[in-house]
Amino acid sequence: MPLAAIALVVLLAILAAFQVALALGAPLGRFAWGGRHEVLPLPLRLGSAVSIVVYAVIAVIALDRAELIDVLAGPVARIVMWIVAGYFALSIAPNALSRSRSERNAMVPVSIALTALALLVAIG
């Protein structure tokens, strides 16, 4: 499980870097948020900034569940990790249904990988 947690955190860090680029105006919008904007408008840039925080929280949860850090009390990490796995599983469909081929091609495999890694960590 520690290896799955570390892999999940690495993938989240890559996604966070991507979201930083989007928030700063990089022309990568075709890969995110429905792919309708090459450069994201301000509300979506703010959404990207919030995503970075969400990824950081998920990373802490995964590392705690894998017992690599000790931040959360008792069964909290186990329960929340299952919620995270469900969240990632639910992200597959919207990415698969995106009108942007770039987003579908890039983010469906990422969503599947996030789901698989989160499930491995949740299972323990």
Side-chain angles (χ1 to χ4, degrees), residues 66-114:
E67 298 179 351
L68 296 171
I69 62 174
D70 187 18
V71 177
L72 302 170
V76 173
R78 179 174 36 87
I79 294 166
V80 177
M81 198 64 221
W82 279 105
I83 294 168
V84 167
Y87 169 78
F88 285 142
L90 290 174
S91 75
I92 297 169
N95 284 314
L97 296 172
S98 175
R99 291 183 179 166
S100 168
R101 184 171 34 159
S102 297
E103 183 174 20
R104 286 192 311 271
N105 291 340
M107 293 307 173
V108 169
V110 169
S111 294
I112 292 169
L114 288 168

Side-chain angles (χ1 to χ4, degrees), residues 5 15 21-22 40-43 47 54 65 73 77 80 82 85 101 112 116 121:
L15 285 172
L22 287 172
L40 297 181
L42 183 59
V54 171
R65 173 67 180 123
V80 177
W82 279 105
R101 184 171 34 159
I112 292 169
V121 174

Side-chain angles (χ1 to χ4, degrees), residues 20-63:
V20 167
L22 287 172
L24 294 175
L28 300 170
R30 69 186 175 281
F31 295 104
W33 300 105
R36 289 185 300 270
H37 307 280
E38 192 65 22
V39 174
L40 297 181
L42 183 59
L44 293 180
R45 287 185 189 196
L46 293 174
S48 287
V50 169
S51 294
I52 297 162
V53 175
V54 171
Y55 295 155
V57 170
I58 292 171
V60 168
I61 294 164
L63 293 172

